[in-house]
Amino acid sequence: MIEFFFDCSSPWTYLAFHNIQPLAKEMGAEIVWRPILVGGIFNTVNPSVYAQREKPVPLKARYMKKDLQDWARSAGLAIKMPPTVFPVNSVKAMRGCIWRGKDVVPFATAVFEAYWGEDKDISQDAVLAEICRKIGIDEQKFLAGISEQGIKDQLKANTEEVVARGGFGSPTIFVNKTDMYFGNDRLPLIREALLRSKASAA
């Protein structure tokens, strides 16, 4: 089993979200999608992210931009970095991912595409309503659903859980509950972990 803790406001998470699905299918592994708020993680255990944004190392920042575009090209995705609104308040979008439950993939995909591919501000109700219409979700039910206290509480609980389990950003990925990986570039290691798991179960 793969647990995928994610926030749509991260470009590296967009890559991992896209790339892990065919990997899981190939390996016959179930993905449990766990929406979180990455800002909550940064505030709690990883405030260095904010310092890096305020005072980036120019050479490293330039390379990271190239690295992201190389990965995006490899995945066949369009990623504009930085978007016009960055960082973005993704709380409503991520509540929407909670609200969608097991049908989260089409909605999360559309949110990723809208923000990273189309440079739309996913913090805005109008943008989220447009995403809902695009994939056939009743926008009024959506806006009502993400306002429910249970949805808000679950997003908070997921965020607190990933921190308690050692996570410090998005995406944080677990194989079989305890084996943690961070980031899109760890997918080859996740594949190896799944192969080991299958071998030990045989």
mmCIF file with all atom_site columns, all heavy atoms in Angstrom, residues 104-120:
data_model
loop_
_atom_site.group_PDB
_atom_site.id
_atom_site.type_symbol
_atom_site.label_atom_id
_atom_site.label_alt_id
_atom_site.label_comp_id
_atom_site.label_asym_id
_atom_site.label_entity_id
_atom_site.label_seq_id
_atom_site.pdbx_PDB_ins_code
_atom_site.Cartn_x
_atom_site.Cartn_y
_atom_site.Cartn_z
_atom_site.occupancy
_atom_site.B_iso_or_equiv
_atom_site.pdbx_formal_charge
_atom_site.auth_seq_id
_atom_site.auth_comp_id
_atom_site.auth_asym_id
_atom_site.auth_atom_id
_atom_site.pdbx_PDB_model_num
ATOM 1   N N   . VAL A 1 104 ? -11.069 11.469 -5.637  1.00 0.00 ? 104 VAL A N   1
ATOM 2   C CA  . VAL A 1 104 ? -10.249 12.678 -5.551  1.00 0.00 ? 104 VAL A CA  1
ATOM 3   C C   . VAL A 1 104 ? -9.398  12.915 -6.796  1.00 0.00 ? 104 VAL A C   1
ATOM 4   O O   . VAL A 1 104 ? -9.100  14.062 -7.134  1.00 0.00 ? 104 VAL A O   1
ATOM 5   C CB  . VAL A 1 104 ? -9.352  12.638 -4.291  1.00 0.00 ? 104 VAL A CB  1
ATOM 6   C CG1 . VAL A 1 104 ? -8.313  11.535 -4.391  1.00 0.00 ? 104 VAL A CG1 1
ATOM 7   C CG2 . VAL A 1 104 ? -8.672  13.979 -4.067  1.00 0.00 ? 104 VAL A CG2 1
ATOM 8   N N   . VAL A 1 105 ? -9.002  11.863 -7.503  1.00 0.00 ? 105 VAL A N   1
ATOM 9   C CA  . VAL A 1 105 ? -7.996  12.029 -8.560  1.00 0.00 ? 105 VAL A CA  1
ATOM 10  C C   . VAL A 1 105 ? -8.413  13.008 -9.663  1.00 0.00 ? 105 VAL A C   1
ATOM 11  O O   . VAL A 1 105 ? -7.632  13.905 -10.008 1.00 0.00 ? 105 VAL A O   1
ATOM 12  C CB  . VAL A 1 105 ? -7.569  10.656 -9.133  1.00 0.00 ? 105 VAL A CB  1
ATOM 13  C CG1 . VAL A 1 105 ? -6.700  10.829 -10.373 1.00 0.00 ? 105 VAL A CG1 1
ATOM 14  C CG2 . VAL A 1 105 ? -6.802  9.869  -8.079  1.00 0.00 ? 105 VAL A CG2 1
ATOM 15  N N   . PRO A 1 106 ? -9.623  12.899 -10.238 1.00 0.00 ? 106 PRO A N   1
ATOM 16  C CA  . PRO A 1 106 ? -9.981  13.864 -11.286 1.00 0.00 ? 106 PRO A CA  1
ATOM 17  C C   . PRO A 1 106 ? -9.999  15.307 -10.778 1.00 0.00 ? 106 PRO A C   1
ATOM 18  O O   . PRO A 1 106 ? -9.548  16.223 -11.488 1.00 0.00 ? 106 PRO A O   1
ATOM 19  C CB  . PRO A 1 106 ? -11.385 13.419 -11.723 1.00 0.00 ? 106 PRO A CB  1
ATOM 20  C CG  . PRO A 1 106 ? -11.456 11.981 -11.350 1.00 0.00 ? 106 PRO A CG  1
ATOM 21  C CD  . PRO A 1 106 ? -10.660 11.859 -10.086 1.00 0.00 ? 106 PRO A CD  1
ATOM 22  N N   . PHE A 1 107 ? -10.471 15.519 -9.554  1.00 0.00 ? 107 PHE A N   1
ATOM 23  C CA  . PHE A 1 107 ? -10.513 16.875 -9.008  1.00 0.00 ? 107 PHE A CA  1
ATOM 24  C C   . PHE A 1 107 ? -9.097  17.391 -8.745  1.00 0.00 ? 107 PHE A C   1
ATOM 25  O O   . PHE A 1 107 ? -8.747  18.508 -9.147  1.00 0.00 ? 107 PHE A O   1
ATOM 26  C CB  . PHE A 1 107 ? -11.335 16.906 -7.712  1.00 0.00 ? 107 PHE A CB  1
ATOM 27  C CG  . PHE A 1 107 ? -11.340 18.259 -7.052  1.00 0.00 ? 107 PHE A CG  1
ATOM 28  C CD1 . PHE A 1 107 ? -12.075 19.306 -7.575  1.00 0.00 ? 107 PHE A CD1 1
ATOM 29  C CD2 . PHE A 1 107 ? -10.594 18.492 -5.902  1.00 0.00 ? 107 PHE A CD2 1
ATOM 30  C CE1 . PHE A 1 107 ? -12.074 20.561 -6.981  1.00 0.00 ? 107 PHE A CE1 1
ATOM 31  C CE2 . PHE A 1 107 ? -10.572 19.734 -5.305  1.00 0.00 ? 107 PHE A CE2 1
ATOM 32  C CZ  . PHE A 1 107 ? -11.322 20.773 -5.841  1.00 0.00 ? 107 PHE A CZ  1
ATOM 33  N N   . ALA A 1 108 ? -8.282  16.596 -8.067  1.00 0.00 ? 108 ALA A N   1
ATOM 34  C CA  . ALA A 1 108 ? -6.908  17.030 -7.765  1.00 0.00 ? 108 ALA A CA  1
ATOM 35  C C   . ALA A 1 108 ? -6.128  17.277 -9.057  1.00 0.00 ? 108 ALA A C   1
ATOM 36  O O   . ALA A 1 108 ? -5.376  18.252 -9.157  1.00 0.00 ? 108 ALA A O   1
ATOM 37  C CB  . ALA A 1 108 ? -6.201  15.988 -6.903  1.00 0.00 ? 108 ALA A CB  1
ATOM 38  N N   . THR A 1 109 ? -6.318  16.427 -10.058 1.00 0.00 ? 109 THR A N   1
ATOM 39  C CA  . THR A 1 109 ? -5.652  16.618 -11.352 1.00 0.00 ? 109 THR A CA  1
ATOM 40  C C   . THR A 1 109 ? -6.034  17.961 -11.954 1.00 0.00 ? 109 THR A C   1
ATOM 41  O O   . THR A 1 109 ? -5.173  18.710 -12.444 1.00 0.00 ? 109 THR A O   1
ATOM 42  C CB  . THR A 1 109 ? -6.029  15.480 -12.326 1.00 0.00 ? 109 THR A CB  1
ATOM 43  O OG1 . THR A 1 109 ? -5.626  14.226 -11.767 1.00 0.00 ? 109 THR A OG1 1
ATOM 44  C CG2 . THR A 1 109 ? -5.367  15.670 -13.684 1.00 0.00 ? 109 THR A CG2 1
ATOM 45  N N   . ALA A 1 110 ? -7.327  18.280 -11.912 1.00 0.00 ? 110 ALA A N   1
ATOM 46  C CA  . ALA A 1 110 ? -7.809  19.548 -12.477 1.00 0.00 ? 110 ALA A CA  1
ATOM 47  C C   . ALA A 1 110 ? -7.273  20.749 -11.702 1.00 0.00 ? 110 ALA A C   1
ATOM 48  O O   . ALA A 1 110 ? -6.980  21.796 -12.287 1.00 0.00 ? 110 ALA A O   1
ATOM 49  C CB  . ALA A 1 110 ? -9.338  19.557 -12.506 1.00 0.00 ? 110 ALA A CB  1
ATOM 50  N N   . VAL A 1 111 ? -7.128  20.598 -10.380 1.00 0.00 ? 111 VAL A N   1
ATOM 51  C CA  . VAL A 1 111 ? -6.561  21.685 -9.563  1.00 0.00 ? 111 VAL A CA  1
ATOM 52  C C   . VAL A 1 111 ? -5.090  21.893 -9.919  1.00 0.00 ? 111 VAL A C   1
ATOM 53  O O   . VAL A 1 111 ? -4.644  23.031 -10.126 1.00 0.00 ? 111 VAL A O   1
ATOM 54  C CB  . VAL A 1 111 ? -6.725  21.387 -8.055  1.00 0.00 ? 111 VAL A CB  1
ATOM 55  C CG1 . VAL A 1 111 ? -5.945  22.402 -7.219  1.00 0.00 ? 111 VAL A CG1 1
ATOM 56  C CG2 . VAL A 1 111 ? -8.194  21.405 -7.658  1.00 0.00 ? 111 VAL A CG2 1
ATOM 57  N N   . PHE A 1 112 ? -4.342  20.808 -9.991  1.00 0.00 ? 112 PHE A N   1
ATOM 58  C CA  . PHE A 1 112 ? -2.933  20.911 -10.387 1.00 0.00 ? 112 PHE A CA  1
ATOM 59  C C   . PHE A 1 112 ? -2.792  21.585 -11.750 1.00 0.00 ? 112 PHE A C   1
ATOM 60  O O   . PHE A 1 112 ? -1.966  22.482 -11.944 1.00 0.00 ? 112 PHE A O   1
ATOM 61  C CB  . PHE A 1 112 ? -2.296  19.515 -10.462 1.00 0.00 ? 112 PHE A CB  1
ATOM 62  C CG  . PHE A 1 112 ? -1.805  18.950 -9.161  1.00 0.00 ? 112 PHE A CG  1
ATOM 63  C CD1 . PHE A 1 112 ? -2.295  17.739 -8.686  1.00 0.00 ? 112 PHE A CD1 1
ATOM 64  C CD2 . PHE A 1 112 ? -0.826  19.598 -8.427  1.00 0.00 ? 112 PHE A CD2 1
ATOM 65  C CE1 . PHE A 1 112 ? -1.814  17.188 -7.494  1.00 0.00 ? 112 PHE A CE1 1
ATOM 66  C CE2 . PHE A 1 112 ? -0.342  19.056 -7.237  1.00 0.00 ? 112 PHE A CE2 1
ATOM 67  C CZ  . PHE A 1 112 ? -0.845  17.848 -6.776  1.00 0.00 ? 112 PHE A CZ  1
ATOM 68  N N   . GLU A 1 113 ? -3.602  21.153 -12.714 1.00 0.00 ? 113 GLU A N   1
ATOM 69  C CA  . GLU A 1 113 ? -3.525  21.702 -14.070 1.00 0.00 ? 113 GLU A CA  1
ATOM 70  C C   . GLU A 1 113 ? -3.880  23.183 -14.097 1.00 0.00 ? 113 GLU A C   1
ATOM 71  O O   . GLU A 1 113 ? -3.234  23.972 -14.795 1.00 0.00 ? 113 GLU A O   1
ATOM 72  C CB  . GLU A 1 113 ? -4.454  20.925 -15.010 1.00 0.00 ? 113 GLU A CB  1
ATOM 73  C CG  . GLU A 1 113 ? -3.964  19.518 -15.327 1.00 0.00 ? 113 GLU A CG  1
ATOM 74  C CD  . GLU A 1 113 ? -4.982  18.715 -16.126 1.00 0.00 ? 113 GLU A CD  1
ATOM 75  O OE1 . GLU A 1 113 ? -6.133  19.190 -16.311 1.00 0.00 ? 113 GLU A OE1 1
ATOM 76  O OE2 . GLU A 1 113 ? -4.635  17.594 -16.560 1.00 0.00 ? 113 GLU A OE2 1
ATOM 77  N N   . ALA A 1 114 ? -4.918  23.543 -13.328 1.00 0.00 ? 114 ALA A N   1
ATOM 78  C CA  . ALA A 1 114 ? -5.351  24.940 -13.311 1.00 0.00 ? 114 ALA A CA  1
ATOM 79  C C   . ALA A 1 114 ? -4.273  25.842 -12.737 1.00 0.00 ? 114 ALA A C   1
ATOM 80  O O   . ALA A 1 114 ? -3.986  26.919 -13.289 1.00 0.00 ? 114 ALA A O   1
ATOM 81  C CB  . ALA A 1 114 ? -6.643  25.079 -12.502 1.00 0.00 ? 114 ALA A CB  1
ATOM 82  N N   . TYR A 1 115 ? -3.649  25.408 -11.655 1.00 0.00 ? 115 TYR A N   1
ATOM 83  C CA  . TYR A 1 115 ? -2.656  26.252 -10.987 1.00 0.00 ? 115 TYR A CA  1
ATOM 84  C C   . TYR A 1 115 ? -1.322  26.254 -11.723 1.00 0.00 ? 115 TYR A C   1
ATOM 85  O O   . TYR A 1 115 ? -0.780  27.307 -12.057 1.00 0.00 ? 115 TYR A O   1
ATOM 86  C CB  . TYR A 1 115 ? -2.471  25.802 -9.539  1.00 0.00 ? 115 TYR A CB  1
ATOM 87  C CG  . TYR A 1 115 ? -1.551  26.697 -8.732  1.00 0.00 ? 115 TYR A CG  1
ATOM 88  C CD1 . TYR A 1 115 ? -1.723  28.074 -8.722  1.00 0.00 ? 115 TYR A CD1 1
ATOM 89  C CD2 . TYR A 1 115 ? -0.502  26.162 -7.987  1.00 0.00 ? 115 TYR A CD2 1
ATOM 90  C CE1 . TYR A 1 115 ? -0.876  28.908 -7.990  1.00 0.00 ? 115 TYR A CE1 1
ATOM 91  C CE2 . TYR A 1 115 ? 0.342   26.981 -7.248  1.00 0.00 ? 115 TYR A CE2 1
ATOM 92  C CZ  . TYR A 1 115 ? 0.152   28.349 -7.259  1.00 0.00 ? 115 TYR A CZ  1
ATOM 93  O OH  . TYR A 1 115 ? 0.997   29.174 -6.541  1.00 0.00 ? 115 TYR A OH  1
ATOM 94  N N   . TRP A 1 116 ? -0.789  25.064 -11.982 1.00 0.00 ? 116 TRP A N   1
ATOM 95  C CA  . TRP A 1 116 ? 0.560   24.979 -12.542 1.00 0.00 ? 116 TRP A CA  1
ATOM 96  C C   . TRP A 1 116 ? 0.601   25.084 -14.059 1.00 0.00 ? 116 TRP A C   1
ATOM 97  O O   . TRP A 1 116 ? 1.571   25.579 -14.628 1.00 0.00 ? 116 TRP A O   1
ATOM 98  C CB  . TRP A 1 116 ? 1.232   23.678 -12.079 1.00 0.00 ? 116 TRP A CB  1
ATOM 99  C CG  . TRP A 1 116 ? 1.466   23.710 -10.613 1.00 0.00 ? 116 TRP A CG  1
ATOM 100 C CD1 . TRP A 1 116 ? 0.806   22.992 -9.649  1.00 0.00 ? 116 TRP A CD1 1
ATOM 101 C CD2 . TRP A 1 116 ? 2.394   24.536 -9.914  1.00 0.00 ? 116 TRP A CD2 1
ATOM 102 N NE1 . TRP A 1 116 ? 1.273   23.329 -8.400  1.00 0.00 ? 116 TRP A NE1 1
ATOM 103 C CE2 . TRP A 1 116 ? 2.254   24.276 -8.535  1.00 0.00 ? 116 TRP A CE2 1
ATOM 104 C CE3 . TRP A 1 116 ? 3.335   25.481 -10.331 1.00 0.00 ? 116 TRP A CE3 1
ATOM 105 C CZ2 . TRP A 1 116 ? 3.012   24.922 -7.572  1.00 0.00 ? 116 TRP A CZ2 1
ATOM 106 C CZ3 . TRP A 1 116 ? 4.100   26.127 -9.367  1.00 0.00 ? 116 TRP A CZ3 1
ATOM 107 C CH2 . TRP A 1 116 ? 3.929   25.830 -8.007  1.00 0.00 ? 116 TRP A CH2 1
ATOM 108 N N   . GLY A 1 117 ? -0.451  24.633 -14.725 1.00 0.00 ? 117 GLY A N   1
ATOM 109 C CA  . GLY A 1 117 ? -0.466  24.673 -16.177 1.00 0.00 ? 117 GLY A CA  1
ATOM 110 C C   . GLY A 1 117 ? -1.118  25.913 -16.764 1.00 0.00 ? 117 GLY A C   1
ATOM 111 O O   . GLY A 1 117 ? -0.677  26.437 -17.783 1.00 0.00 ? 117 GLY A O   1
ATOM 112 N N   . GLU A 1 118 ? -2.186  26.390 -16.078 1.00 0.00 ? 118 GLU A N   1
ATOM 113 C CA  . GLU A 1 118 ? -2.976  27.501 -16.624 1.00 0.00 ? 118 GLU A CA  1
ATOM 114 C C   . GLU A 1 118 ? -2.804  28.795 -15.826 1.00 0.00 ? 118 GLU A C   1
ATOM 115 O O   . GLU A 1 118 ? -3.425  29.804 -16.161 1.00 0.00 ? 118 GLU A O   1
ATOM 116 C CB  . GLU A 1 118 ? -4.452  27.093 -16.677 1.00 0.00 ? 118 GLU A CB  1
ATOM 117 C CG  . GLU A 1 118 ? -4.701  25.858 -17.534 1.00 0.00 ? 118 GLU A CG  1
ATOM 118 C CD  . GLU A 1 118 ? -6.084  25.258 -17.310 1.00 0.00 ? 118 GLU A CD  1
ATOM 119 O OE1 . GLU A 1 118 ? -6.980  25.963 -16.790 1.00 0.00 ? 118 GLU A OE1 1
ATOM 120 O OE2 . GLU A 1 118 ? -6.262  24.065 -17.635 1.00 0.00 ? 118 GLU A OE2 1
ATOM 121 N N   . ASP A 1 119 ? -1.985  28.753 -14.770 1.00 0.00 ? 119 ASP A N   1
ATOM 122 C CA  . ASP A 1 119 ? -1.681  29.946 -13.968 1.00 0.00 ? 119 ASP A CA  1
ATOM 123 C C   . ASP A 1 119 ? -2.936  30.596 -13.385 1.00 0.00 ? 119 ASP A C   1
ATOM 124 O O   . ASP A 1 119 ? -3.097  31.817 -13.397 1.00 0.00 ? 119 ASP A O   1
ATOM 125 C CB  . ASP A 1 119 ? -0.895  30.958 -14.808 1.00 0.00 ? 119 ASP A CB  1
ATOM 126 C CG  . ASP A 1 119 ? -0.197  32.017 -13.947 1.00 0.00 ? 119 ASP A CG  1
ATOM 127 O OD1 . ASP A 1 119 ? -0.039  31.794 -12.731 1.00 0.00 ? 119 ASP A OD1 1
ATOM 128 O OD2 . ASP A 1 119 ? 0.177   33.077 -14.501 1.00 0.00 ? 119 ASP A OD2 1
ATOM 129 N N   . LYS A 1 120 ? -3.836  29.760 -12.871 1.00 0.00 ? 120 LYS A N   1
ATOM 130 C CA  . LYS A 1 120 ? -5.064  30.272 -12.251 1.00 0.00 ? 120 LYS A CA  1
ATOM 131 C C   . LYS A 1 120 ? -4.932  30.221 -10.732 1.00 0.00 ? 120 LYS A C   1
ATOM 132 O O   . LYS A 1 120 ? -4.316  29.300 -10.188 1.00 0.00 ? 120 LYS A O   1
ATOM 133 C CB  . LYS A 1 120 ? -6.272  29.470 -12.716 1.00 0.00 ? 120 LYS A CB  1
ATOM 134 C CG  . LYS A 1 120 ? -6.553  29.658 -14.209 1.00 0.00 ? 120 LYS A CG  1
ATOM 135 C CD  . LYS A 1 120 ? -7.760  28.867 -14.665 1.00 0.00 ? 120 LYS A CD  1
ATOM 136 C CE  . LYS A 1 120 ? -8.034  29.128 -16.144 1.00 0.00 ? 120 LYS A CE  1
ATOM 137 N NZ  . LYS A 1 120 ? -9.165  28.320 -16.651 1.00 0.00 ? 120 LYS A NZ  1
#
